[in-house]
Every structure is written in C-alpha cells, then in structure tokens.
C-alpha cells in the first residue's frame, strides 16, 4: 500500500530514502546530493574492489536510483 501525500517528496527525502534502501550511512546523502547538483562528477565513483567501508559502486547504484525516481536522465 502506498502512502498518499499532499505534496511530492523533496529531493532530500528521495535521496535519504534511497541511501537507506542501499544500506548506506545517512552521511552519504550529502555526497549523493552533491552528485545530483553536479558539484561532484559521476566519474569519481569508480569501484576499486578494495572493500571500502562505503563502496563507490553502491553509491553509484544509489545515485542512479535517485536520478531515476527524480527523472533526471
């Protein structure tokens, strides 16, 4: 069942929802917001396969999910 809302979700709400969906720390939301705003390049999100605490590939997948929901493609 979907929740009825009077107003659409804000960009920040969408980002935080997706960050939590991908089990990323909430602090990652600010980085994803910078990606959405174009302050950080997508090219910075290359997975190096070294087992980072927060994997760039997961952040990229989260970012793409946010873009898809916000229809920014």
């Amino acid at each position: 069942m979907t929740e009825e809302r009077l107003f659409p979700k804000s960009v920040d709400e969408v980002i935080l929802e997706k960050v939590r969906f991908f089990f990323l720390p909430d602090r990652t939301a600010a980085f994803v917001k910078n990606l959405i705003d174009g302050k950080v390049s997508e090219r910075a999100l290359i997975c190096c396969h070294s087992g980072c605490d927060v994997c760039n590939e997961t952040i990229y997948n989260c970012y793409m999910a946010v873009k898809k929901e916000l229809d920014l493609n």
Side-chain angles (χ1 to χ4, degrees), residues 10-58:
S10 69
V11 172
D12 291 335
E13 287 176 309
V14 171
I15 291 171
L16 189 57
E17 179 182 278
K18 296 302 179 193
V19 162
R20 290 178 176 167
F21 177 82
F22 284 93
F23 301 103
L24 293 165
D26 286 356
R27 62 184 162 82
T28 311
F31 184 71
V32 174
K33 175 82 166 140
N34 285 334
L35 286 163
I36 293 294
D37 292 343
K39 295 177 182 175
V40 176
S41 172
E42 289 180 35
R43 294 178 183 199
L45 296 175
I46 298 170
C47 181
C48 61
H49 304 289
S50 66
C52 297
D53 177 40
V54 179
C55 180
N56 281 336
E57 183 176 20
T58 306

